Amino acid sequence: MRLQDALAAISAVRVLGFSLTMPFVGLALHEAYGVPLSSVSLYYVAVAAGGAVGQLAGGAASDRVGRVRVMLASAVSAAVLLALVALLNSPVYIEALTALQSVASGSFASSSSALIGDYFTDHAGLVRAYGRVRVGSNLGWAVGVAVGGLLYQLLGLRSLFAFTSLTQASTIPMILGLPTVAPRGPARPLERPSRPLLLYLVPTSLTFIIAGLMGYPLVQYLSGYEGLSTSLAGSLLAVNGALVVLLQDPIARAAARLRASTALSAGMAIYAIGYGLLPLASSYPLAAADVVLITLGEMVVMPVSSAVAARLSSPSSRGSHMGVYGLVNSVARSASSSIFAALLTVMSPREAWAVEAAIALTSSVGYFVLVAG
């Protein structure tokens, strides 16, 4: 099996497990265990921080001991921690152990991204490989969000945690079968990122703020301001995931033929149009059509974004550098909901979406100016 196909399969299983549980942890903590909403908010901050730390630590560790070893340790840690959550079934343990598990997930993400960067040397190959892995992760996500709510009602969170632990354990044989890629040159963990990579992260941070809107901000807006039911608004996330599964591969192949700056700029321009038009989406068909447009921008940008980060990373410190890229991803996506909520407190929804569209356009211009090739 090709490396990118193996990683796509691993990602599908991992994300399926997480998508069945993590969206409902906050709900269960508040409704079933009586945890105050303020504490639930702090819990999500801890989860985001753990993921960010994991990106950096896992990337640096993979430079020292190897990508596959870190991925294996991450999978084992996740399986054990989630099994403990299911066994102990206490809000304190749920919060502490899932936050700790987010460190393992972050480590896996940066290590697997660096592995692709080690394996492929040309830009087109990198774009296609990262695109294929996105197909796997979005397949897991689409299935998980489609059935997760029903399974949560039928089985409860404790049983879902046990199942998620099994999904993480099931990836261990697949990880052991991954090829080990010899590093090109001696490892230098924590080597300072190059100036081109640091410049690239400026528009990239804006990109991930926009990418983070495909979640709570979108659902909250459509249900709270456009009158769609929460289930209908939430189903648009499954539409997003299904489109990536069906179309990411051909779109990645097309994007790989373009200059990186052109593909990134064009994709962010599509993002800007999609979110700029969102206030006009006053019905489910219009909202679905707009999500299709937004997803098109996502499918152009995301695999190219990862490919450029891998190309700009030093071969001797690629894990650390992809960890920095992942850190920017985690922080910006986590900030996205807060930024959108803050905008709604000082302006109308139409104006808030105009600001988000302006952020996307700023990112588009930044790529055109700062990214070579």
Side-chain angles (χ1 to χ4, degrees):
M1 183 182 294
R2 298 182 306 172
L3 173 67
Q4 61 268 42
D5 295 330
L7 288 175
I10 292 169
S11 295
V13 176
R14 283 176 53 82
V15 175
L16 170 63
F18 288 129
S19 65
L20 290 175
T21 52
M22 297 311 292
F24 306 103
V25 173
L27 180 67
L29 286 172
H30 180 61
E31 294 186 351
Y33 296 98
V35 177
L37 285 176
S38 57
S39 297
V40 173
S41 298
L42 291 175
Y43 160 73
Y44 279 114
V45 171
V47 169
V53 170
Q55 291 272 4
L56 290 174
S62 75
D63 286 330
R64 289 187 178 276
V65 303
R67 320 296 185 209
V68 174
R69 287 181 179 177
V70 172
M71 293 166 64
L72 181 62
S74 299
V76 171
S77 298
V80 171
L81 290 169
L82 292 169
L84 288 174
V85 172
L87 289 171
L88 297 173
N89 195 33
S90 157
V92 174
Y93 288 118
I94 289 174
E95 292 175 328
L97 294 175
T98 54
L100 189 58
Q101 184 282 137
S102 69
V103 178
S105 291
S107 298
F108 185 95
S110 56
S111 302
S112 59
S113 293
L115 179 61
I116 294 174
D118 293 338
Y119 198 82
F120 295 92
T121 58
D122 64 299
H123 175 72
L126 285 166
V127 173
R128 291 192 295 266
Y130 283 118
R132 173 51 60 92
V133 174
R134 293 196 78 242
V135 171
S137 60
N138 277 271
L139 175 61
W141 170 255
V143 173
V145 297
V147 302
L150 177 61
L151 292 178
Y152 171 70
Q153 291 178 334
L154 292 175
L155 303 176
L157 190 64
R158 187 177 188 179
S159 296
L160 288 181
F161 269 126
F163 178 76
T164 300
S165 173
L166 291 176
T167 62
Q168 306 314 299
S170 71
T171 65
I172 292 173
M174 292 187 280
I175 294 171
L176 289 171
L178 291 174
T180 300
V181 182
R184 295 190 287 272
R188 296 188 181 90
L190 306 179
E191 179 183 350
R192 186 178 186 277
S194 65
R195 176 178 171 82
L197 177 57
L198 293 174
L199 288 175
Y200 172 66
L201 292 177
V202 175
T204 298
S205 65
L206 302 180
T207 291
F208 288 132
I209 289 173
I210 298 302
L213 295 171
M214 182 61 70
Y216 171 75
L218 180 70
V219 172
Q220 191 271 338
Y221 168 75
L222 291 174
S223 60
Y225 290 89
E226 295 295 349
L228 296 185
S229 67
T230 303
S231 59
L232 276 179
S235 71
L236 293 175
L237 302 182
V239 170
N240 167 261
L243 286 171
V244 174
V245 172
L246 294 173
L247 299 176
Q248 180 65 85
D249 274 337
I251 289 177
R253 287 195 296 269
R257 291 194 288 268
L258 301 174
R259 289 168 55 91
S261 57
T262 301
L264 291 169
S265 296
M268 291 311 299
I270 296 171
Y271 254 136
I273 295 170
Y275 281 119
L277 292 175
L278 197 57
L280 302 178
S282 55
S283 65
Y284 184 81
L286 289 175
D290 201 57
V291 166
V292 171
L293 182 61
I294 292 167
T295 305
L296 175 60
E298 173 190 329
M299 289 187 287
V300 172
V301 169
M302 292 305 159
V304 179
S305 176
S306 296
V308 173
R311 278 198 298 120
L312 295 177
S313 299
S314 167
S316 60
S317 194
R318 179 167 285 121
S320 298
H321 293 172
M322 293 305 289
V324 173
Y325 172 78
L327 172 66
V328 172
N329 184 347
S330 298
V331 171
R333 287 180 184 267
S334 298
S336 182
S337 296
S338 299
I339 292 171
F340 185 69
L343 290 174
L344 290 178
T345 64
V346 296
M347 61 183 66
S348 69
R350 184 181 297 269
E351 293 169 331
W353 287 119
V355 171
E356 300 287 5
I359 293 173
L361 282 176
T362 302
S363 179
S364 176
V365 173
Y367 285 130
F368 193 78
V369 172
L370 296 175
V371 177

